[in-house]
Amino acid sequence: MPFAISVELGELSLSMTEITELNIGDTLLLDQSVHQPLTAHIQGHPKWKGRPVRRGHQLAFQVTELVDPSYRTEPSQQR
């Protein structure tokens, strides 16, 4: 059973005017420091902390710590 995993770089708020004025090449300043670990989520629940890395020509996420060991990724077994 596949699960969706997402890694968020950070957040920011923009007004509707700022959004409509965005152009190719513009840079968005996020609230995340480059020195802070990123968090990976499984189905909206934080699961791991880590850092971005490169594997060949692809971006990747290297896990450095477990955030919530109580969150189980296996489906619950019902009897």
Side-chain angles (χ1 to χ4, degrees):
M1 171 183 273
F3 289 90
I5 298 175
S6 63
V7 178
E8 188 173 287
L9 289 175
E11 295 181 10
L12 76 147
S13 294
L14 295 175
S15 69
M16 183 55 77
T17 302
E18 292 169 315
I19 290 170
T20 59
E21 292 176 352
L22 281 175
N23 288 302
I24 294 173
D26 287 350
T27 301
L28 303 175
L29 186 59
L30 304 174
D31 64 348
Q32 178 87 2
S33 164
V34 295
H35 302 291
Q36 289 179 298
L38 303 177
T39 303
H41 297 78
I42 274 191
Q43 298 182 330
H45 298 278
K47 182 69 176 170
W48 306 281
K49 290 214 178 267
R51 60 189 182 96
V53 295
R54 266 179 105 154
R55 292 292 184 256
H57 293 289
Q58 287 187 282
L59 291 174
F61 178 78
Q62 183 177 40
V63 175
T64 58
E65 69 180 276
L66 187 60
V67 173
D68 183 4
S70 66
Y71 179 71
R72 298 178 53 94
T73 56
E74 308 89 41
S76 62
Q77 295 178 347
Q78 295 181 358
R79 296 179 191 236

mmCIF file of all heavy atoms in Angstrom, residues 3 19 38 41 48 58:
data_model
loop_
_atom_site.group_PDB
_atom_site.id
_atom_site.type_symbol
_atom_site.label_atom_id
_atom_site.label_comp_id
_atom_site.label_asym_id
_atom_site.label_seq_id
_atom_site.Cartn_x
_atom_site.Cartn_y
_atom_site.Cartn_z
ATOM 1 N N PHE A 3 2.116 5.175 0.340
ATOM 2 C CA PHE A 3 1.802 6.334 1.176
ATOM 3 C C PHE A 3 2.434 7.573 0.561
ATOM 4 O O PHE A 3 3.532 7.504 0.020
ATOM 5 C CB PHE A 3 2.370 6.164 2.592
ATOM 6 C CG PHE A 3 1.654 5.130 3.404
ATOM 7 C CD1 PHE A 3 2.062 3.810 3.381
ATOM 8 C CD2 PHE A 3 0.576 5.477 4.199
ATOM 9 C CE1 PHE A 3 1.412 2.853 4.128
ATOM 10 C CE2 PHE A 3 -0.084 4.532 4.953
ATOM 11 C CZ PHE A 3 0.336 3.214 4.911
ATOM 12 N N ILE A 19 1.055 37.979 -5.280
ATOM 13 C CA ILE A 19 0.962 36.710 -6.003
ATOM 14 C C ILE A 19 0.758 36.954 -7.496
ATOM 15 O O ILE A 19 1.409 36.332 -8.331
ATOM 16 C CB ILE A 19 -0.173 35.832 -5.422
ATOM 17 C CG1 ILE A 19 0.217 35.341 -4.029
ATOM 18 C CG2 ILE A 19 -0.476 34.657 -6.347
ATOM 19 C CD1 ILE A 19 -0.907 34.672 -3.269
ATOM 20 N N LEU A 38 14.776 19.933 7.689
ATOM 21 C CA LEU A 38 13.448 19.890 7.083
ATOM 22 C C LEU A 38 12.661 18.759 7.728
ATOM 23 O O LEU A 38 13.246 17.839 8.296
ATOM 24 C CB LEU A 38 13.566 19.649 5.586
ATOM 25 C CG LEU A 38 14.406 20.661 4.805
ATOM 26 C CD1 LEU A 38 14.500 20.245 3.345
ATOM 27 C CD2 LEU A 38 13.837 22.057 4.943
ATOM 28 N N HIS A 41 6.679 14.510 6.067
ATOM 29 C CA HIS A 41 5.372 14.121 6.589
ATOM 30 C C HIS A 41 4.839 12.922 5.818
ATOM 31 O O HIS A 41 5.025 12.828 4.609
ATOM 32 C CB HIS A 41 4.366 15.264 6.447
ATOM 33 C CG HIS A 41 4.710 16.476 7.222
ATOM 34 N ND1 HIS A 41 5.665 17.391 6.817
ATOM 35 C CD2 HIS A 41 4.233 16.941 8.396
ATOM 36 C CE1 HIS A 41 5.750 18.358 7.714
ATOM 37 N NE2 HIS A 41 4.886 18.120 8.674
ATOM 38 N N TRP A 48 9.842 12.348 10.042
ATOM 39 C CA TRP A 48 11.302 12.396 10.074
ATOM 40 C C TRP A 48 11.799 13.823 9.929
ATOM 41 O O TRP A 48 11.149 14.659 9.346
ATOM 42 C CB TRP A 48 11.907 11.603 8.909
ATOM 43 C CG TRP A 48 11.452 10.206 8.803
ATOM 44 C CD1 TRP A 48 11.885 9.132 9.534
ATOM 45 C CD2 TRP A 48 10.469 9.689 7.920
ATOM 46 N NE1 TRP A 48 11.230 7.999 9.147
ATOM 47 C CE2 TRP A 48 10.354 8.303 8.147
ATOM 48 C CE3 TRP A 48 9.665 10.249 6.940
ATOM 49 C CZ2 TRP A 48 9.488 7.493 7.453
ATOM 50 C CZ3 TRP A 48 8.797 9.448 6.234
ATOM 51 C CH2 TRP A 48 8.725 8.073 6.503
ATOM 52 N N GLN A 58 19.198 14.252 -9.214
ATOM 53 C CA GLN A 58 17.931 14.401 -8.500
ATOM 54 C C GLN A 58 18.151 14.946 -7.094
ATOM 55 O O GLN A 58 19.164 14.670 -6.455
ATOM 56 C CB GLN A 58 17.224 13.052 -8.380
ATOM 57 C CG GLN A 58 16.639 12.567 -9.688
ATOM 58 C CD GLN A 58 15.808 11.331 -9.456
ATOM 59 O OE1 GLN A 58 16.349 10.253 -9.296
ATOM 60 N NE2 GLN A 58 14.503 11.518 -9.429
#
